[in-house]
Amino acid sequence: RVALAFRSSDIGVVSMPLDPAQKAAELRREGPGLKVCILGGTSFQGTYSEELTKQVAQQLHRALGNRAVFVTGGLAGVQETFAKHCGDGSRVWNLMPDGGKCAYTVGKNLHAGADMAERKAVFARLGDVYITVEGGPGVAEEARIAFSRGAVVVPLMRTGGASSGMFDFPAGALKKPVFASEEQWDLLSGKASPPGWQSAAAAAVVALVLGSQSMNTAQSRYRPGSRVDRQEAERMQRLTLAMGSSQALPWLAPYLERFGPAVEEGNRILSVVGPYVYTFYSALYTGYKALPKD
């Protein structure tokens, strides 16, 4: 008889190569909801970008609630600022390489990939929507991968860097998606729009992605982007604009009458927040109808 003994160092450990798409699919099963990924640098290049990131986080949390998960890479800068201003952080995921540590204590920590390159490959395949703030070549690369596979990329163009089209950022992502309105996209790309308006526009565009997914799941008879769908969207915008002008913002009326240039900008913001106003009044009416009539 011959006894054979092997050390692990004699044999070696063979690790299977990571399949980014498969790992991303596995991570998606960690929880339900639209997966909204945040891309940006580890430091801000401008104070406007920081304020805008805070307001986008707040607006998205209010608009989507538990219908979405917000995914960061656990890095300082844009992602940390977003995570710390996204509600209580319970809907935030932080995706890091194996053994990696998050730069902050907000959110749920997940791991994928042996190093940052593998983690980025998974991150670029995980989201339904990617919001970009500033950024360099790394942000542009992840945005290219995400956009090429059909994810929606929402660049906050005014922040500059990759988000404004630099570093070979996907040119198609700078163009208005079919489901977004001209007013919403103009607000996102405008140089003079206040951060509150731009953050509301970003939240509205992401909410439309969620609505489009719901329509596809329900096999709606309305095809997103079709003539019927556009007519219905326009009808709702007219209704909510009228409601917002006459009820939600009564103090604004005299100023809108006196200052012509303000009318156009007012219409823009109302077309963005109008659906939320309509939802509010619809809920009130539903509650009223449910009250006992005697």
Side-chain angles (χ1 to χ4, degrees):
R1 296 181 180 179
V2 179
L4 298 178
F6 296 96
R7 295 173 300 174
S8 59
S9 58
D10 296 330
I11 301 174
V13 178
V14 179
S15 59
M16 297 296 292
L18 177 72
D19 183 335
Q22 182 177 347
K23 184 62 178 179
E26 176 186 322
L27 289 171
R28 290 181 64 87
R29 293 192 289 271
E30 287 283 330
L34 189 77
K35 305 303 184 290
V36 182
C37 295
I38 312 303
L39 287 171
T42 54
S43 62
F44 287 101
Q45 302 303 306
T47 56
Y48 179 89
S49 300
E50 185 172 3
E51 180 60 28
L52 180 58
T53 300
K54 293 177 182 178
Q55 295 204 25
V56 166
Q58 294 165 356
Q59 293 272 14
L60 284 173
H61 180 262
R62 292 192 196 104
L64 303 180
N66 60 7
R67 296 176 297 167
V69 171
F70 305 99
V71 189
T72 81
L75 300 174
V78 170
Q79 295 179 339
E80 179 178 9
T81 299
F82 184 95
K84 288 183 175 180
H85 291 83
C86 187
D88 61 0
S90 61
R91 303 299 296 175
V92 174
W93 292 357
N94 307 306
L95 183 64
M96 296 157 294
D98 294 339
K101 293 184 179 180
C102 187
Y104 38 92
T105 57
V106 177
K108 175 181 179 181
N109 294 338
L110 302 173
H111 294 85
D115 52 29
M116 185 60 74
E118 289 189 348
R119 195 281 291 169
K120 284 185 174 182
V122 175
F123 192 88
R125 293 163 175 82
L126 175 61
D128 301 299
V129 181
Y130 290 76
I131 296 177
T132 71
V133 182
E134 297 180 347
V139 168
E141 179 186 8
E142 291 183 80
R144 283 197 304 273
I145 296 172
F147 188 75
S148 67
R149 66 174 180 80
V152 175
V153 177
V154 181
L156 302 183
M157 291 168 266
R158 183 179 173 181
T159 62
S163 297
S164 66
M166 297 175 64
F167 308 111
D168 200 22
F169 192 85
L174 299 172
K175 299 177 181 178
K176 182 186 77 67
V178 66
F179 52 80
S181 70
E182 293 287 351
E183 291 83 1
Q184 290 162 347
W185 207 249
D186 285 347
L187 281 172
L188 281 177
S189 59
K191 295 294 185 182
S193 303
W197 292 18
Q198 290 198 325
S199 60
V205 170
V206 176
L208 286 169
V209 177
L210 180 63
S212 178
Q213 280 195 349
S214 300
M215 289 173 64
N216 292 336
T217 301
Q219 296 182 336
S220 170
R221 65 189 181 92
Y222 294 114
R223 179 173 59 83
S226 68
R227 180 171 175 271
V228 172
D229 193 50
R230 289 196 301 271
Q231 287 177 337
E232 179 64 13
E234 290 169 359
R235 185 184 72 82
M236 290 297 297
Q237 284 196 357
R238 288 195 299 271
L239 173 63
T240 54
L241 178 58
M243 291 174 62
S245 298
S246 62
Q247 299 181 45
L249 301 172
W251 56 269
L252 194 57
Y255 295 94
L256 291 177
E257 292 174 0
R258 290 180 58 191
F259 302 105
V263 174
E264 181 180 357
E265 294 298 327
N267 286 342
R268 287 184 180 182
I269 188 59
L270 286 172
S271 71
V272 173
V273 303
Y276 303 116
V277 177
Y278 173 76
T279 300
F280 172 73
Y281 283 106
S282 294
L284 285 180
Y285 180 71
T286 302
Y288 166 74
K289 293 288 286 185
L291 291 174
K293 297 301 182 290
D294 55 353

